[in-house]
Amino acid sequence: MAYRQNDQAAEQTRTMVMGGVDAMHTRVQGLANDYSWWEEAYDAYGRSDKEWIEANIGTGIIDTQIADFLAIISPEHELMYGWWTPADAPNSETVMSPKLIEKIEELIRTAPIENNAARSSYVQTSAGTLLFAVSRIAPVSKVDTVDPKNLPVLVMGFYLSNQRLSELGRSFLINDLRLEREDAAHSAKDFPEIRDIYGNVIGRFVWTPPTPGFAVLRNVVAPIAGGLLVFCLIAMWTVLRARRLALSQALSEHQAITAARTDSLTGLTNRYGFNELSDSDQFGEACAKAEAAIIYLDVNGFKSVNDSIGHQGGDELVGLLAERLSMILPPDARFARVGGDEFAVALTGRSAPAAVAGVASAMVHALDQPFSVAGFQFQVTAAVGYAVSDGQDVTPAELLRRADLAMYQAKNAAERDAVPYHSGLETGALHRKRLGIALRGAIEGDELSVAYQPIVRASDLAIVSVEALVRWDSKEFGRVSPAEFIPVAEETGAIHDIGKFVFQRACQDMIEWPGLKMSINVSPAQLRDPSFANDLGAIARRHDVVPNRFKLELTEGLLVRNPTIAKRKLARLKSMGFGLSLDDFGTGFSSIGYLRQFPFDWLKIDKSFISELGTNPTANALIQSMIALGDAMDIAVVAEGIETVEQLQLLRLLQCEYVQGFHLAKPMSAAEITTLLADLGDSRRLFPDLAPPPMLDKERLINLVRT
């Protein structure tokens, strides 16, 4: 019995030690992920900004000492940066031998780029055994477009010192947990071994196994001679002590199991625990009985919090958000944090299908009030989607997929309330998925092109500018409308590459058109990119084109969502020389306040107003007011969508400065623009024999405007 008890205690201790070792791996992998899944770090490495890297990455070793070793390896397998501590420890050049770098590249080769993709291993150094993790330094916004082979690799680790192992062991009631080299551990073959990155056994975790069985014998054998009564008393005392030891060990094991399923930041169930719940037999039975529902929530605007007050502030916001959401959930709901800013709720029971809509809506509106973090007020919103099991062979995995699909529908459509899953989401989602995959190869496959539509001065019909319009002739889908593929590009991040392609092609083409300006449409997603302005400036300099020849056309979406950031970024573009145009004026939340607050040079009256010009008195008055507003604020006005001569004449009568539309010229290729300009000569007048165009009866026009 004593030996069996000893064996059980030894096995339990071994399980806890290995759990602690796994926790060390998780910690170093988490640190590597935090330092590598960082867009600013990727940009700083790309521009060889050693000062930034030293200040933001190197300080993690030198100042805060969160690790003992950190190195950055280039895509060409060369050591580019290195930090170590203490000072007498092996330096990065000593540790990162070419052979080790080759093995590190082999270790990370199959790992995905996304966050939480770090890999860990060991290597023996002169200072001891180094536990390290490796991860690619990757840009968050371009994760779907970059080649893993072209990304630098970050290596971070710490030495398995006796002090660290002793502290780990004491947490499991082990007083002498230590690391012994393989050549010195011949008597410890039954202890867990450590294999380095080369596959060699370099040491073992060794400790003195607890022997509660022998403790029982020591406490029982001696008093037996003293009599049965003494023996019984001692036996009872021994049993109680053994029970306390067993309870203590069981409690430690329970704590380790709980920690593995709990998010350390919020105290909620983590992704592992939530997946374990969804895979359980009980949840499967609830799905089969149509008594289960899943809610997914993704926080919008969370990245701006990290960018403005740092990751520590972002962590504080996550904690506050989890606390607020927990307060409005039913007591029997299982609430989990399944990602950085993603949460999930599982509901089961007969009331779940009826209650899920109200719970999901309450989660959305729980974020209506701002959060106070580090002295700042932050207003965040959420995209929420949910799915209910209908009992028709819906598995837990399928229910999770449906909730995730509904959440992405809410995110893409900017829905203000929760979105339930329905079968109509499937076709649209599948088509968008196929479009997103095809877009990745559209530029390299020479499927994208740029067309140009002239913008004409109304007074003499002379071409003063052209608008660049992207076109996609897909080998799979044929001609795809921009209204269809641009939202997909914004969702997948491909809009950044498309925007650079259009701007670069425009720079190449406009060299042939001296004196002509160019309008470029800019997506709010592009403007949110921190390097957007610098990228435009670099492309313009590379093609020797001055920025003041460009007008960047923006819609109101970004201005409404975050006017403070928009004002700063537009001021930056303005200072570089770029002109700014407010597109689709009058169709959204346009106000005089935007025109006064932001440095716009042009505003474009949407074609929906022009189509009713001369036939709708309200449209006549609105257009006249917009033109007068532009004149009063010294902003040039462009009317787009001119399709008839009467619309043109009315706009001239209203003294609109510039016009654009199919009646004047359709979008055409760069070669066609060059030919057109050559045919028109220096005047660049469209319809020179109609300049000035034949006027309609002036009295009739005046009456049209008045009415």
Side-chain angles (χ1 to χ4, degrees):
M1 290 174 62
Y3 276 107
R4 283 199 299 271
Q5 189 173 5
N6 290 345
D7 291 342
Q8 292 173 356
E11 184 61 30
Q12 292 173 351
T13 305
R14 182 187 182 96
T15 300
M16 289 186 287
V17 169
M18 295 312 297
V21 172
D22 288 341
M24 289 194 299
H25 280 265
T26 300
R27 174 174 174 260
V28 73
Q29 289 173 2
L31 288 172
N33 283 324
D34 286 345
Y35 273 78
S36 59
W37 188 246
W38 193 357
E39 182 124 5
E40 289 82 356
Y42 174 83
D43 293 339
Y45 179 88
R47 63 175 180 267
S48 300
D49 191 348
K50 184 176 181 180
E51 181 178 344
W52 189 98
I53 292 176
E54 181 70 33
N56 292 272
I57 296 180
T59 54
I61 300 300
I62 304 303
D63 296 337
T64 62
Q65 297 184 355
I66 62 173
D68 299 331
F69 182 88
L70 196 152
I72 297 178
I73 303 171
S74 71
E76 292 76 26
H77 318 310
E78 296 179 356
L79 177 64
M80 300 302 296
Y81 303 94
W83 303 268
W84 63 90
T85 186
D88 58 350
N91 59 36
S92 54
E93 289 82 5
T94 303
V95 175
M96 302 306 294
S97 64
K99 182 179 179 182
L100 178 58
I101 290 176
E102 181 181 351
K103 294 299 291 183
I104 286 174
E105 294 288 348
E106 182 178 331
L107 177 66
I108 198 66
R109 184 175 301 140
T110 58
I113 301 178
E114 288 80 8
N115 195 10
N116 299 323
R119 299 289 188 266
S120 56
S121 187
Y122 301 91
V123 67
Q124 189 68 30
T125 72
S126 60
T129 302
L130 179 67
L131 169 60
F132 66 94
V134 296
S135 181
R136 297 186 183 91
I137 299 177
V140 179
S141 65
K142 307 171 186 175
V143 66
D144 292 330
T145 60
V146 295
D147 187 349
K149 297 179 181 178
N150 296 329
L151 296 177
V153 175
L154 180 140
V155 183
M156 175 178 283
F158 54 82
Y159 291 100
L160 298 182
S161 64
N162 288 333
Q163 179 182 357
R164 285 195 174 104
L165 293 177
S166 178
E167 292 173 354
L168 175 65
R170 283 196 295 272
S171 66
F172 303 121
L173 305 181
I174 299 172
N175 296 322
D176 60 345
L177 179 62
R178 62 196 182 277
L179 178 66
E180 291 189 4
R181 295 174 59 106
E182 179 65 10
D183 53 3
H186 297 295
S187 61
K189 294 299 183 183
D190 293 334
F191 287 88
E193 63 184 22
I194 299 177
R195 290 185 178 270
D196 63 11
I197 194 171
Y198 305 105
N200 302 319
V201 179
I202 59 174
R204 294 177 183 271
F205 292 108
V206 179
W207 66 93
T208 301
T211 55
F214 292 160
V216 172
L217 289 178
R218 284 193 299 270
N219 290 310
V220 171
V221 172
I224 287 180
L228 183 59
L229 179 60
V230 176
F231 170 79
C232 291
L233 293 174
I234 294 178
M236 183 180 296
W237 173 82
T238 303
V239 169
L240 291 175
R241 182 180 180 187
R243 183 174 182 273
R244 285 196 299 270
L245 288 173
L247 290 175
S248 177
Q249 292 174 345
L251 178 61
S252 298
E253 184 176 358
H254 175 73
Q255 291 173 342
I257 292 173
T258 301
R261 292 161 173 78
T262 303
D263 177 55
S264 59
L265 181 61
T266 62
L268 301 176
T269 303
N270 59 15
R271 178 181 288 275
Y272 176 77
F274 192 77
N275 289 341
E276 192 174 60
L277 166 68
S278 64
D279 291 338
S280 66
D281 293 339
Q282 293 87 344
F283 193 80
E285 291 174 2
C287 287
K289 296 178 181 178
E291 297 178 355
I294 294 289
I295 305 172
Y296 268 154
L297 179 147
D298 183 87
V299 181
N300 299 319
F302 183 73
K303 185 177 184 299
S304 64
V305 179
N306 283 334
D307 291 344
S308 56
I309 61 174
H311 290 279
Q312 184 174 358
D315 290 345
E316 183 178 348
L317 176 60
V318 169
L320 293 173
L321 190 146
E323 182 179 349
R324 186 181 294 182
L325 291 175
S326 298
M327 295 173 62
I328 55 95
L329 293 177
D332 57 345
R334 288 293 298 272
F335 189 26
R337 181 189 180 207
V338 295
D341 57 353
E342 296 181 9
F343 296 85
V345 177
L347 300 174
T348 55
R350 294 181 180 179
S351 61
V356 64
V359 173
S361 181
M363 292 177 71
V364 172
H365 295 290
L367 307 186
D368 288 345
Q369 296 300 318
F371 292 88
S372 179
V373 181
F376 296 93
Q377 295 289 321
F378 290 96
Q379 181 70 60
V380 297
T381 60
V384 177
Y386 63 91
V388 180
S389 171
D390 55 15
Q392 299 177 357
D393 299 326
V394 175
T395 64
E398 172 62 15
L399 190 62
L400 292 172
R401 187 194 70 83
R402 291 182 176 184
D404 191 50
L405 183 61
M407 183 270 288
Y408 274 104
Q409 171 64 21
K411 194 173 188 69
N412 296 334
E415 289 287 350
R416 186 63 185 87
D417 212 337
V419 172
Y421 167 84
H422 55 85
S423 58
L425 297 178
E426 297 290 351
T427 302
L430 181 60
H431 182 62
R432 288 196 304 273
K433 184 69 173 178
R434 291 176 60 197
L435 281 179
I437 295 173
L439 268 175
R440 294 192 185 101
I443 298 176
E444 292 79 1
D446 199 26
E447 295 181 2
L448 294 183
S449 61
V450 179
Y452 302 95
Q453 186 175 26
I455 298 175
V456 178
R457 187 164 49 232
S459 61
D460 59 1
L461 299 184
I463 299 175
V464 296
S465 180
V466 292
E467 180 179 1
L469 304 168
V470 65
R471 296 290 184 261
W472 182 20
D473 290 311
S474 171
K475 297 176 182 176
E476 180 179 358
F477 301 101
R479 172 63 65 88
V480 185
S481 167
E484 185 177 2
F485 73 79
I486 290 298
V488 176
E490 292 175 331
E491 176 185 341
T492 61
I495 191 66
H496 301 287
D497 290 333
I498 293 176
K500 291 177 183 177
F501 165 79
V502 172
F503 190 72
Q504 182 164 305
R505 180 62 57 85
C507 288
Q508 294 170 351
D509 292 337
M510 69 188 306
I511 294 175
E512 303 294 329
W513 312 325
L516 206 61
K517 292 186 178 293
M518 175 78 70
S519 292
I520 302 286
N521 291 286
V522 175
S523 163
Q526 292 175 264
L527 203 59
R528 286 193 293 267
D529 184 355
S531 62
F532 173 70
N534 292 334
D535 289 343
L536 289 193
I539 295 173
R541 287 192 300 272
R542 189 160 59 245
H543 291 86
D544 197 24
V545 179
V546 292
N548 61 16
R549 292 187 64 187
F550 292 98
K551 296 192 304 293
L552 304 181
E553 295 193 2
L554 304 105
T555 56
E556 304 157 25
L558 180 69
L559 314 183
V560 174
R561 293 190 187 96
N562 203 324
T564 303
I565 294 178
K567 186 176 182 180
R568 184 176 69 250
K569 294 195 173 186
L570 294 185
R572 164 69 172 153
L573 291 167
K574 189 75 173 176
S575 68
M576 295 173 66
F578 290 101
L580 301 175
S581 174
L582 180 59
D583 198 8
D584 299 337
F585 184 72
T587 60
F589 300 94
S590 302
S591 69
I592 298 176
Y594 287 146
L595 299 180
R596 296 181 60 189
Q597 184 178 1
F598 298 102
F600 289 111
D601 305 289
W602 297 58
L603 68 83
K604 298 187 74 173
I605 301 176
D606 188 69
K607 61 183 179 182
S608 61
F609 293 97
I610 305 302
S611 64
E612 299 182 354
L613 182 62
T615 62
N616 186 323
T618 302
N620 297 342
L622 285 173
I623 293 171
Q624 188 175 19
S625 300
M626 293 177 190
I627 295 172
L629 176 63
D631 290 340
M633 303 189 71
D634 196 23
I635 299 176
V637 178
V638 182
E640 59 180 350
I642 312 301
E643 297 186 354
T644 67
V645 65
E646 288 195 358
Q647 292 171 350
L648 175 61
Q649 298 290 7
L650 280 168
L651 288 166
R652 292 186 65 182
L653 182 64
L654 294 173
Q655 296 183 343
C656 181
E657 193 169 355
Y658 300 102
V659 290
Q660 178 185 10
F662 278 27
H663 174 68
L664 301 164
K666 295 182 179 180
M668 57 189 76
S669 67
E672 290 173 323
I673 290 288
T674 301
T675 302
L676 177 63
L677 294 176
D679 292 341
L680 296 179
D682 294 338
S683 69
R684 291 182 174 173
R685 287 184 176 181
L686 290 171
F687 319 121
D689 52 337
L690 297 179
M695 300 291 291
L696 297 177
D697 180 75
K698 185 174 182 179
E699 184 177 345
R700 179 189 170 205
L701 291 173
I702 293 174
N703 289 334
L704 282 171
V705 173
R706 286 177 175 171
T707 57

